[in-house]
Amino acid sequence: MEFSGVDDLCRTASHRLPRLFRDYVNGGAHGEVTMRANRQAFLDWKIVPRCLRDVSQVDIGSTWLGKPRGAPFMLGPVGFAGMMHAGGDIMAAQAAARAGIPFAVSTFSIASMEKLARVPGVDLLAQIYVFRDRALTRDMLRRAHACGIDGIILTVDTAITPMRARDVRNGFRRMTRPSVAQLLSMASRPGWSLRMLMAGKARIGNLAPYSMGRNLLEEARNAAAGIDPSLTWRDLAWLRKEWGGRLIVKGVMDADDARQCVENGVDALVVSNHGGRQMDPSPATLSVLPEIVESVGEHCEIVLDSGVRQGGDIVTALALGACGVALGRPWAWALAAAGRKGMDALTTGLSGEVRDVMGLAGLRTMAELAARRTQVLRRA
Protein backbone atom coordinates (compact mmCIF):
# COMPACT_ATOMS: atom_id res chain seq x y z
CA MET A 1 0.00 0.00 0.00
CA GLU A 2 1.38 3.40 -0.97
CA PHE A 3 1.32 6.09 1.72
CA SER A 4 -0.35 9.33 0.63
CA GLY A 5 -0.72 10.92 4.05
CA VAL A 6 -2.53 10.44 7.35
CA ASP A 7 -5.52 12.46 6.15
CA ASP A 8 -6.09 9.95 3.34
CA LEU A 9 -5.97 7.10 5.86
CA CYS A 10 -8.59 8.95 7.90
CA ARG A 11 -10.89 9.32 4.90
CA THR A 12 -10.55 5.66 3.96
CA ALA A 13 -11.10 4.55 7.55
CA SER A 14 -14.27 6.64 7.77
CA HIS A 15 -15.72 4.76 4.79
CA ARG A 16 -14.85 1.35 6.27
CA LEU A 17 -15.85 1.68 9.92
CA PRO A 18 -19.40 1.50 11.27
CA ARG A 19 -20.52 4.73 12.87
CA LEU A 20 -20.11 3.49 16.47
CA PHE A 21 -16.35 3.05 16.14
CA ARG A 22 -15.81 5.81 13.58
CA ASP A 23 -17.28 8.34 16.00
CA TYR A 24 -15.38 6.83 18.93
CA VAL A 25 -12.04 7.43 17.20
CA ASN A 26 -12.81 10.73 15.48
CA GLY A 27 -14.69 12.50 18.25
CA GLY A 28 -13.64 14.81 21.06
CA ALA A 29 -15.16 16.29 24.21
CA HIS A 30 -17.88 18.95 24.30
CA GLY A 31 -17.44 21.32 21.31
CA GLU A 32 -14.21 19.65 20.11
CA VAL A 33 -12.37 22.98 20.48
CA THR A 34 -9.27 21.31 21.92
CA MET A 35 -9.13 18.85 19.07
CA ARG A 36 -9.01 21.68 16.53
CA ALA A 37 -6.52 23.65 18.65
CA ASN A 38 -4.11 20.70 18.65
CA ARG A 39 -3.91 20.85 14.85
CA GLN A 40 -3.78 24.62 14.64
CA ALA A 41 -0.81 24.76 17.02
CA PHE A 42 1.35 22.86 14.52
CA LEU A 43 0.25 25.18 11.71
CA ASP A 44 1.52 28.14 13.75
CA TRP A 45 5.12 26.97 13.25
CA LYS A 46 7.22 26.70 10.08
CA ILE A 47 10.46 24.78 9.56
CA VAL A 48 13.23 26.79 7.94
CA PRO A 49 14.74 25.20 4.80
CA ARG A 50 18.56 25.19 4.70
CA CYS A 51 20.68 24.69 1.60
CA LEU A 52 24.13 23.51 0.50
CA ARG A 53 24.48 20.86 3.18
CA ASP A 54 25.32 17.23 2.49
CA VAL A 55 22.09 15.40 3.32
CA SER A 56 22.69 12.36 1.14
CA GLN A 57 22.36 10.26 4.31
CA VAL A 58 19.73 11.20 6.91
CA ASP A 59 19.41 9.01 10.00
CA ILE A 60 16.16 9.42 11.98
CA GLY A 61 17.07 6.86 14.64
CA SER A 62 17.81 7.93 18.21
CA THR A 63 17.73 6.73 21.79
CA TRP A 64 14.66 7.73 23.79
CA LEU A 65 12.61 6.16 26.56
CA GLY A 66 15.76 4.29 27.47
CA LYS A 67 16.40 2.39 24.23
CA PRO A 68 17.59 2.91 20.64
CA ARG A 69 14.60 3.53 18.34
CA GLY A 70 14.21 3.34 14.60
CA ALA A 71 12.16 6.54 14.45
CA PRO A 72 11.17 9.44 16.75
CA PHE A 73 7.57 8.29 17.14
CA MET A 74 5.71 5.48 18.87
CA LEU A 75 2.26 3.92 18.79
CA GLY A 76 0.52 5.36 21.83
CA PRO A 77 -2.29 3.59 23.71
CA VAL A 78 -5.58 3.39 21.78
CA GLY A 79 -8.53 1.69 23.42
CA PHE A 80 -10.59 -0.75 21.31
CA ALA A 81 -7.98 -0.74 18.51
CA GLY A 82 -8.96 -4.33 17.81
CA MET A 83 -12.36 -3.00 16.72
CA MET A 84 -10.78 -0.93 13.96
CA HIS A 85 -9.81 -4.16 12.22
CA ALA A 86 -10.05 -7.76 13.39
CA GLY A 87 -6.74 -8.66 15.02
CA GLY A 88 -5.80 -4.99 14.95
CA ASP A 89 -3.87 -4.86 18.23
CA ILE A 90 -1.61 -7.69 17.08
CA MET A 91 -1.12 -6.08 13.66
CA ALA A 92 -0.12 -2.82 15.32
CA ALA A 93 2.37 -4.54 17.63
CA GLN A 94 3.90 -6.37 14.67
CA ALA A 95 4.20 -3.14 12.68
CA ALA A 96 5.86 -1.41 15.63
CA ALA A 97 8.34 -4.27 15.91
CA ARG A 98 9.18 -4.02 12.20
CA ALA A 99 9.69 -0.26 12.51
CA GLY A 100 11.76 -0.50 15.70
CA ILE A 101 9.43 1.76 17.71
CA PRO A 102 7.59 1.29 21.03
CA PHE A 103 4.01 0.08 21.22
CA ALA A 104 1.78 0.94 24.20
CA VAL A 105 -0.98 -1.52 24.96
CA SER A 106 -4.13 0.17 26.25
CA THR A 107 -5.96 -1.04 29.33
CA PHE A 108 -8.95 -1.26 26.96
CA SER A 109 -7.10 -3.43 24.43
CA ILE A 110 -9.01 -6.20 22.69
CA ALA A 111 -5.84 -8.33 22.84
CA SER A 112 -4.34 -8.93 26.28
CA MET A 113 -0.88 -7.68 27.20
CA GLU A 114 0.22 -11.32 27.52
CA LYS A 115 -0.78 -12.04 23.92
CA LEU A 116 0.87 -8.87 22.62
CA ALA A 117 4.07 -9.58 24.56
CA ARG A 118 4.49 -12.74 22.48
CA VAL A 119 4.85 -10.73 19.23
CA PRO A 120 8.50 -11.24 18.15
CA GLY A 121 10.63 -8.14 18.62
CA VAL A 122 7.92 -5.93 20.10
CA ASP A 123 8.97 -3.30 22.65
CA LEU A 124 5.82 -3.21 24.73
CA LEU A 125 4.73 -0.59 27.25
CA ALA A 126 1.59 -1.09 29.34
CA GLN A 127 -0.84 1.80 29.77
CA ILE A 128 -2.75 1.59 33.04
CA TYR A 129 -5.30 3.47 35.12
CA VAL A 130 -5.51 3.44 38.87
CA PHE A 131 -8.83 1.78 39.65
CA ARG A 132 -10.95 2.23 42.75
CA ASP A 133 -10.06 -1.39 43.43
CA ARG A 134 -6.32 -1.13 44.06
CA ALA A 135 -6.02 -4.92 43.95
CA LEU A 136 -6.97 -4.78 40.27
CA THR A 137 -4.27 -2.17 39.57
CA ARG A 138 -1.71 -4.26 41.48
CA ASP A 139 -2.65 -7.28 39.42
CA MET A 140 -2.17 -5.38 36.18
CA LEU A 141 1.31 -4.39 37.38
CA ARG A 142 2.02 -8.01 38.27
CA ARG A 143 0.90 -9.16 34.83
CA ALA A 144 3.01 -6.51 33.10
CA HIS A 145 6.10 -7.59 35.01
CA ALA A 146 5.37 -11.27 34.40
CA CYS A 147 5.29 -10.85 30.62
CA GLY A 148 8.52 -8.86 30.48
CA ILE A 149 7.17 -5.32 30.18
CA ASP A 150 9.66 -2.89 31.71
CA GLY A 151 7.70 0.37 31.41
CA ILE A 152 4.18 1.46 32.29
CA ILE A 153 2.25 4.55 31.22
CA LEU A 154 -0.07 5.91 33.90
CA THR A 155 -2.87 7.99 32.38
CA VAL A 156 -3.85 10.77 34.80
CA ASP A 157 -6.25 13.01 32.86
CA THR A 158 -9.37 10.83 33.06
CA ALA A 159 -10.69 11.49 36.56
CA ILE A 160 -13.92 12.49 34.83
CA THR A 161 -15.21 11.27 31.48
CA PRO A 162 -16.75 14.33 29.82
CA MET A 163 -19.63 14.44 27.40
CA ARG A 164 -18.53 13.46 23.90
CA ALA A 165 -21.34 14.46 21.56
CA ARG A 166 -20.63 11.85 18.90
CA ASP A 167 -20.64 9.06 21.48
CA VAL A 168 -23.87 10.39 22.98
CA ARG A 169 -25.56 10.35 19.59
CA ASN A 170 -24.54 6.77 18.84
CA GLY A 171 -24.91 5.36 22.36
CA PHE A 172 -21.31 4.36 23.01
CA ARG A 173 -20.68 3.69 26.76
CA ARG A 174 -24.40 4.16 27.50
CA MET A 175 -25.79 0.97 26.00
CA THR A 176 -24.92 -2.52 27.14
CA ARG A 177 -25.84 -4.13 23.82
CA PRO A 178 -25.91 -2.86 20.23
CA SER A 179 -29.06 -1.02 19.16
CA VAL A 180 -30.90 -1.74 15.93
CA ALA A 181 -29.36 1.40 14.41
CA GLN A 182 -25.87 0.24 15.40
CA LEU A 183 -26.47 -3.21 13.94
CA LEU A 184 -27.68 -1.66 10.67
CA SER A 185 -24.58 0.56 10.59
CA MET A 186 -22.37 -2.50 11.06
CA ALA A 187 -24.25 -4.35 8.32
CA SER A 188 -23.59 -1.42 5.98
CA ARG A 189 -19.86 -2.17 6.34
CA PRO A 190 -19.81 -5.81 5.15
CA GLY A 191 -16.02 -6.10 4.96
CA TRP A 192 -15.58 -4.97 8.55
CA SER A 193 -18.50 -7.11 9.74
CA LEU A 194 -17.28 -10.26 8.02
CA ARG A 195 -13.78 -9.94 9.49
CA MET A 196 -15.22 -9.37 12.96
CA LEU A 197 -17.57 -12.35 12.69
CA MET A 198 -14.70 -14.59 11.61
CA ALA A 199 -12.59 -13.38 14.57
CA GLY A 200 -15.25 -14.38 17.09
CA LYS A 201 -16.99 -12.44 19.85
CA ALA A 202 -15.07 -9.27 20.69
CA ARG A 203 -14.18 -8.65 24.33
CA ILE A 204 -11.73 -6.39 26.15
CA GLY A 205 -9.11 -9.10 26.41
CA ASN A 206 -6.81 -7.04 28.60
CA LEU A 207 -9.51 -6.90 31.29
CA ALA A 208 -10.77 -10.47 30.85
CA PRO A 209 -9.39 -11.69 34.23
CA TYR A 210 -11.64 -9.23 36.07
CA SER A 211 -15.10 -10.22 34.74
CA MET A 212 -16.31 -6.70 34.01
CA GLY A 213 -19.30 -7.54 31.85
CA ARG A 214 -21.10 -9.89 29.52
CA ASN A 215 -20.12 -8.11 26.31
CA LEU A 216 -17.82 -5.42 24.94
CA LEU A 217 -20.11 -2.44 25.61
CA GLU A 218 -20.88 -3.56 29.14
CA GLU A 219 -17.18 -4.13 29.87
CA ALA A 220 -16.33 -0.66 28.51
CA ARG A 221 -18.96 1.03 30.68
CA ASN A 222 -18.04 -0.82 33.87
CA ALA A 223 -14.29 -0.42 33.42
CA ALA A 224 -14.63 3.32 32.82
CA ALA A 225 -16.76 3.61 35.96
CA GLY A 226 -14.04 1.78 37.91
CA ILE A 227 -11.33 4.38 37.28
CA ASP A 228 -10.63 6.20 40.55
CA PRO A 229 -11.58 9.92 40.33
CA SER A 230 -9.96 10.62 43.73
CA LEU A 231 -6.42 9.96 42.44
CA THR A 232 -3.84 12.27 44.07
CA TRP A 233 -0.08 12.72 44.32
CA ARG A 234 -0.13 10.28 47.24
CA ASP A 235 -1.40 7.60 44.86
CA LEU A 236 1.37 8.39 42.37
CA ALA A 237 3.92 7.89 45.18
CA TRP A 238 2.20 4.59 46.00
CA LEU A 239 2.45 3.47 42.38
CA ARG A 240 6.12 4.43 42.24
CA LYS A 241 6.76 2.10 45.17
CA GLU A 242 4.68 -0.68 43.64
CA TRP A 243 6.38 -0.52 40.23
CA GLY A 244 10.15 -0.91 39.97
CA GLY A 245 10.42 -0.34 36.22
CA ARG A 246 10.18 2.76 34.05
CA LEU A 247 7.24 4.95 35.05
CA ILE A 248 5.75 7.32 32.48
CA VAL A 249 2.90 9.69 33.32
CA LYS A 250 0.56 10.65 30.49
CA GLY A 251 -1.76 13.64 30.59
CA VAL A 252 0.53 16.36 31.95
CA MET A 253 -0.27 19.87 30.66
CA ASP A 254 1.20 22.13 33.36
CA ALA A 255 4.80 22.87 34.37
CA ASP A 256 4.01 22.68 38.11
CA ASP A 257 2.41 19.28 37.66
CA ALA A 258 5.45 18.20 35.67
CA ARG A 259 7.76 19.21 38.51
CA GLN A 260 5.70 17.29 41.04
CA CYS A 261 5.84 14.21 38.80
CA VAL A 262 9.63 14.41 38.75
CA GLU A 263 9.71 14.86 42.53
CA ASN A 264 7.69 11.64 42.81
CA GLY A 265 10.24 9.66 40.81
CA VAL A 266 8.59 9.66 37.37
CA ASP A 267 11.00 8.77 34.56
CA ALA A 268 9.17 10.36 31.62
CA LEU A 269 6.12 12.47 30.83
CA VAL A 270 3.66 12.49 27.97
CA VAL A 271 2.41 16.01 27.34
CA SER A 272 -1.13 15.13 26.32
CA ASN A 273 -4.70 16.40 26.40
CA HIS A 274 -6.00 12.98 25.33
CA GLY A 275 -6.35 14.15 21.75
CA GLY A 276 -9.05 16.62 22.79
CA ARG A 277 -11.17 13.89 24.36
CA GLN A 278 -11.03 15.25 27.94
CA MET A 279 -10.79 18.95 28.84
CA ASP A 280 -12.52 21.21 26.35
CA PRO A 281 -11.36 23.90 25.86
CA SER A 282 -7.75 23.11 26.73
CA PRO A 283 -4.46 24.51 25.47
CA ALA A 284 -2.92 22.60 22.61
CA THR A 285 -0.19 20.21 23.73
CA LEU A 286 2.36 21.88 21.44
CA SER A 287 1.57 25.24 23.07
CA VAL A 288 2.52 24.07 26.57
CA LEU A 289 5.42 21.85 25.52
CA PRO A 290 8.16 24.57 25.71
CA GLU A 291 7.33 25.59 29.29
CA ILE A 292 7.28 21.97 30.44
CA VAL A 293 10.60 21.29 28.70
CA GLU A 294 12.09 24.36 30.37
CA SER A 295 10.75 23.23 33.74
CA VAL A 296 11.79 19.56 33.83
CA GLY A 297 13.52 18.72 30.54
CA GLU A 298 16.87 18.23 32.25
CA HIS A 299 15.40 15.72 34.69
CA CYS A 300 13.14 13.48 32.62
CA GLU A 301 12.23 12.64 29.04
CA ILE A 302 9.23 14.34 27.48
CA VAL A 303 7.01 12.82 24.81
CA LEU A 304 4.23 14.75 23.06
CA ASP A 305 0.95 13.52 21.66
CA SER A 306 -2.26 15.00 20.22
CA GLY A 307 -2.61 16.59 16.80
CA VAL A 308 0.36 14.94 15.08
CA ARG A 309 -0.47 14.20 11.44
CA GLN A 310 2.73 14.69 9.40
CA GLY A 311 6.47 14.21 9.53
CA GLY A 312 6.86 17.96 9.82
CA ASP A 313 4.74 17.89 12.99
CA ILE A 314 7.12 15.36 14.50
CA VAL A 315 10.18 17.48 13.64
CA THR A 316 8.41 20.55 15.08
CA ALA A 317 7.76 18.76 18.38
CA LEU A 318 11.37 17.60 18.55
CA ALA A 319 12.62 21.12 17.84
CA LEU A 320 10.51 22.37 20.75
CA GLY A 321 12.15 19.87 23.09
CA ALA A 322 10.25 16.58 22.92
CA CYS A 323 12.31 13.40 22.71
CA GLY A 324 9.61 11.72 20.62
CA VAL A 325 5.90 11.77 19.82
CA ALA A 326 3.11 9.27 20.47
CA LEU A 327 0.56 8.59 17.75
CA GLY A 328 -3.08 7.77 18.50
CA ARG A 329 -5.73 8.41 15.88
CA PRO A 330 -3.30 8.04 12.94
CA TRP A 331 -2.60 4.40 13.69
CA ALA A 332 -6.25 3.65 14.45
CA TRP A 333 -7.09 5.06 11.01
CA ALA A 334 -4.29 3.07 9.38
CA LEU A 335 -5.67 -0.15 10.88
CA ALA A 336 -9.22 0.61 9.82
CA ALA A 337 -8.12 1.61 6.32
CA ALA A 338 -6.01 -1.43 5.45
CA GLY A 339 -5.01 -3.57 8.43
CA ARG A 340 -1.42 -4.79 8.30
CA LYS A 341 -0.70 -2.96 5.04
CA GLY A 342 -2.11 0.24 6.46
CA MET A 343 0.09 -0.01 9.54
CA ASP A 344 3.25 -0.57 7.50
CA ALA A 345 2.28 2.27 5.17
CA LEU A 346 1.90 4.59 8.17
CA THR A 347 5.18 3.75 9.90
CA THR A 348 7.18 3.72 6.65
CA GLY A 349 5.43 6.81 5.29
CA LEU A 350 5.84 8.93 8.41
CA SER A 351 9.48 7.86 8.69
CA GLY A 352 9.97 9.01 5.11
CA GLU A 353 8.30 12.34 5.81
CA VAL A 354 10.53 12.93 8.86
CA ARG A 355 13.57 12.07 6.76
CA ASP A 356 12.46 14.46 3.99
CA VAL A 357 11.84 17.35 6.37
CA MET A 358 15.11 16.88 8.22
CA GLY A 359 17.07 16.71 4.99
CA LEU A 360 15.45 19.86 3.61
CA ALA A 361 16.21 21.57 6.93
CA GLY A 362 19.88 20.59 6.55
CA LEU A 363 19.77 18.06 9.39
CA ARG A 364 21.39 14.65 9.07
CA THR A 365 20.83 13.17 12.53
CA MET A 366 18.66 13.59 15.59
CA ALA A 367 21.75 14.80 17.44
CA GLU A 368 22.08 17.66 14.93
CA LEU A 369 18.41 18.50 15.36
CA ALA A 370 18.82 18.61 19.14
CA ALA A 371 21.92 20.79 18.90
CA ARG A 372 20.34 23.26 16.48
CA ARG A 373 16.72 23.11 17.60
CA THR A 374 16.48 26.84 18.40
CA GLN A 375 17.38 27.60 14.76
CA VAL A 376 15.00 25.15 13.09
CA LEU A 377 11.60 26.85 13.61
CA ARG A 378 9.97 30.17 12.86
CA ARG A 379 6.56 31.39 13.95
CA ALA A 380 4.12 31.48 11.05
Side-chain angles (χ1 to χ4, degrees), residues 40-47 286 316 320 377-380:
Q40 183 59 48
F42 283 101
L43 302 179
D44 290 340
W45 290 97
K46 305 301 177 189
I47 299 168
L286 196 71
T316 297
L320 290 174
L377 299 177
R378 296 288 186 274
R379 280 281 187 183

Side-chain angles (χ1 to χ4, degrees), residues 208-278:
Y210 313 119
S211 302
M212 290 198 167
R214 295 164 294 178
N215 57 53
L216 182 75
L217 293 177
E218 193 172 285
E219 287 173 329
R221 188 186 66 177
N222 292 340
I227 296 171
D228 191 348
S230 69
L231 195 68
T232 67
W233 295 107
R234 184 167 54 240
D235 298 297
L236 178 60
W238 167 80
L239 188 69
R240 178 68 285 182
K241 291 178 182 176
E242 291 285 327
W243 177 255
R246 184 175 296 272
L247 176 58
I248 303 163
V249 171
K250 176 179 178 286
V252 177
M253 291 287 291
D254 178 82
D256 287 339
D257 287 348
R259 282 190 289 271
Q260 284 196 260
C261 283
V262 171
E263 289 168 5
N264 278 279
V266 169
D267 299 297
L269 304 174
V270 183
V271 177
S272 171
N273 55 32
H274 224 94
R277 294 170 60 78
Q278 289 298 113

Side-chain angles (χ1 to χ4, degrees), residues 59-79:
D59 181 5
I60 67 168
S62 64
T63 297
W64 56 288
L65 294 186
K67 297 178 184 178
R69 312 294 185 185
F73 58 87
M74 62 177 284
L75 304 186
V78 173

Side-chain angles (χ1 to χ4, degrees), residues 74-90:
M74 62 177 284
L75 304 186
V78 173
F80 308 102
M83 301 307 294
M84 303 301 110
H85 192 288
D89 296 300
I90 298 295

Side-chain angles (χ1 to χ4, degrees), residues 258-329:
R259 282 190 289 271
Q260 284 196 260
C261 283
V262 171
E263 289 168 5
N264 278 279
V266 169
D267 299 297
L269 304 174
V270 183
V271 177
S272 171
N273 55 32
H274 224 94
R277 294 170 60 78
Q278 289 298 113
M279 172 68 83
D280 190 77
S282 161
T285 54
L286 196 71
S287 300
V288 302
L289 175 64
E291 63 192 69
I292 293 176
V293 169
E294 183 178 358
S295 175
V296 299
E298 294 183 0
H299 307 289
C300 73
E301 291 183 289
I302 299 170
V303 177
L304 178 130
D305 80 8
S306 304
V308 176
R309 298 292 181 269
Q310 302 175 93
D313 299 339
I314 296 171
V315 174
T316 297
L318 298 177
L320 290 174
C323 68
V325 305
L327 305 176
R329 288 185 179 95

